[in-house]
Amino acid sequence: MNMNLKFKPVTAEDIAKIIPFFGLRPDKTCESVFLDRFLWRDYYHIQYTIYEEKGLLWKMEQEGKTYTSIPSCRQEDLPELLGIMKDYFNQTLGEPLRIYLADEESLEFLKLDPAEFSIEEAVDLKDYLYDGEAMRTLSGRKLHKKKNRVNSFIRTYEGRYEFRRLCCSDRQDVWEFLDKWRAGKNEPEEVMEGLDEEIVGIHEILKNCSYIPAKMVGVYIDGALQAFSVGSYNSREKMAVIHIEKANPEFNGLYQFINQQFLVHEFPEAVLVNREDDVGIPGLRKSKMSYNPIGFARKFMVEQKWQKKSGI
């Protein structure tokens, strides 16, 4: 049979019908929440279709190849929905099934046959997981330096800073801050490309922020926005996902301050904090490790061992 699935781009108007399919099964990756899909929808050309009201099937492109991701559905529906996508790739696209960043929990449940699929961990794309209470209090010896930096920032800028929730009307402040922040970056070309695509995604979030279930906060110093952060919540895992965190590095302790205050004020109930991956950047890896992660949400690239000429 020819699997004639109809995929469409992710849009803000679709949010109400898409969101109920998230958080239906165990998954501690940042891809377990809607905002990640929306943020990177243009970069990965993300499209979706709802299959028989059971879940979301995904299609995307990366480096000239078509991929899917693990369906957004209940755990017991994973085998059926992934089978649908396998048929779609094989019969409609004439390609092997490729899964981009499959989460560890889904693969443990699916138990894919190694004779049919190759599975390789995407080591640089694993998400860092932290204890929520430790990140809010910064208590203990391992986080003592972070707490000192926060206290130093508060003392230095007392009376000059304001931490507050951001709303749609603040988007111009964020755009102006991003322009300055981007101008100050000097990274390798491939890193800058990723940063530019992230900025495009941030612009889309801000344009559609009245639709999107995101939490946004900022720190103003002397009336100017100098840091902001965007996050969302996975209620099943009781996990805050920090998608965006930008700060002016000229203000000592500002990164540590917004990191802590965001969790204190917007995610007081979070047991886990997912601060996403380090994409293999040494400086980012050092920064994320300095917060003493309690674990990682590991992800895997999966490809079917399939050739069109086999007639399968």
Side-chain angles (χ1 to χ4, degrees):
M1 109 184 123
N2 188 286
M3 297 302 300
N4 191 25
L5 299 173
K6 301 293 185 183
F7 289 88
K8 60 169 293 189
V10 176
T11 66
E13 291 74 21
D14 296 334
I15 289 174
K17 61 183 178 182
I18 291 178
I19 282 183
F21 294 103
F22 285 85
L24 296 179
R25 64 175 182 83
D27 183 0
K28 294 181 176 63
T29 68
C30 62
E31 290 85 7
S32 68
V33 292
F34 168 79
L35 192 58
D36 182 84
R37 307 281 175 153
F38 190 82
L39 178 63
W40 296 102
R41 60 179 180 156
D42 291 335
Y43 182 64
Y44 291 108
H45 308 286
I46 296 175
Q47 297 186 316
Y48 79 96
T49 188
I50 299 175
Y51 184 76
E52 294 185 354
E53 299 303 319
K54 289 184 178 180
L56 302 174
L57 303 179
W58 300 97
K59 185 168 75 168
M60 62 192 70
E61 293 178 18
Q62 174 71 346
E63 297 180 350
K65 291 185 177 181
T66 303
Y67 290 84
T68 187
S69 60
I70 294 294
S72 302
C73 62
R74 295 179 304 168
Q75 187 165 258
E76 56 265 36
D77 291 326
L78 278 176
E80 178 188 359
L81 268 59
L82 197 61
I84 296 295
M85 285 307 295
K86 184 173 78 168
D87 289 343
Y88 174 76
F89 268 70
N90 295 170
Q91 298 170 20
T92 301
L93 301 182
E95 298 180 13
L97 177 70
R98 302 182 193 93
I99 307 174
Y100 192 73
L101 301 184
D103 60 280
E104 194 168 16
E105 288 92 344
S106 68
L107 294 183
E108 287 176 355
F109 179 80
L110 287 163
K111 294 180 170 56
L112 298 176
D113 184 354
E116 185 180 7
F117 295 95
S118 64
I119 301 173
E120 182 177 350
E121 184 174 358
V123 177
D124 289 342
L125 299 180
K126 64 182 180 292
D127 293 340
Y128 288 71
L129 302 176
Y130 305 86
D131 178 86
E133 190 61 19
M135 294 289 278
R136 285 186 291 269
T137 61
L138 298 179
S139 59
R141 180 178 57 82
K142 291 183 177 179
L143 295 174
H144 186 65
K145 289 183 179 179
K146 305 294 185 186
K147 194 166 191 175
N148 283 346
R149 282 179 170 263
V150 170
N151 291 336
S152 175
F153 173 85
I154 292 172
R155 286 194 305 269
T156 302
Y157 297 100
E158 186 175 3
R160 296 173 55 191
Y161 76 86
E162 177 191 10
F163 172 90
R164 65 176 173 86
R165 183 179 295 171
L166 299 178
C167 56
C168 295
S169 60
D170 298 310
R171 58 178 170 254
Q172 190 62 41
D173 290 349
V174 178
W175 288 336
E176 290 174 2
F177 168 81
L178 277 174
D179 286 344
K180 295 175 184 175
W181 178 86
R182 170 63 177 81
K185 301 298 286 184
N186 183 24
E187 302 283 356
E189 183 178 346
E190 63 273 16
V191 175
M192 295 307 294
E193 180 186 353
L195 292 177
D196 287 340
E197 291 296 336
E198 182 184 54
I199 288 172
V200 169
I202 295 170
H203 276 250
E204 288 300 308
I205 289 173
L206 292 167
K207 288 176 187 175
N208 298 283
C209 67
S210 59
Y211 296 99
I212 295 174
K215 294 177 181 288
M216 296 186 290
V217 297
V219 179
Y220 287 77
I221 301 176
D222 298 331
L225 183 67
Q226 299 294 354
F228 82 101
S229 192
V230 180
S232 56
Y233 191 64
N234 179 329
S235 57
R236 182 188 181 99
E237 302 288 357
K238 297 182 179 178
M239 180 177 76
V241 182
I242 310 303
H243 303 279
I244 308 290
E245 187 179 79
K246 310 292 184 194
N248 185 338
E250 295 177 7
F251 295 93
N252 187 37
L254 181 53
Y255 265 110
Q256 291 78 15
F257 177 76
I258 193 170
N259 179 337
Q260 182 206 35
Q261 292 299 301
F262 193 16
L263 295 171
V264 168
H265 291 281
E266 301 295 338
F267 299 103
E269 75 282 28
V271 175
L272 275 178
V273 178
N274 179 319
R275 292 180 54 79
E276 300 201 351
D277 54 64
D278 60 36
V279 292
I281 300 174
L284 200 51
R285 179 170 297 164
K286 181 179 179 181
S287 173
K288 290 180 184 290
M289 287 301 295
S290 72
Y291 270 99
N292 191 34
I294 59 172
F296 301 93
R298 302 183 186 278
K299 308 174 194 182
F300 300 82
M301 304 296 288
V302 179
E303 183 161 352
Q304 183 187 12
K305 300 172 183 177
W306 179 91
Q307 292 181 341
K308 192 172 184 179
K309 65 181 180 181
S310 68
I312 296 176

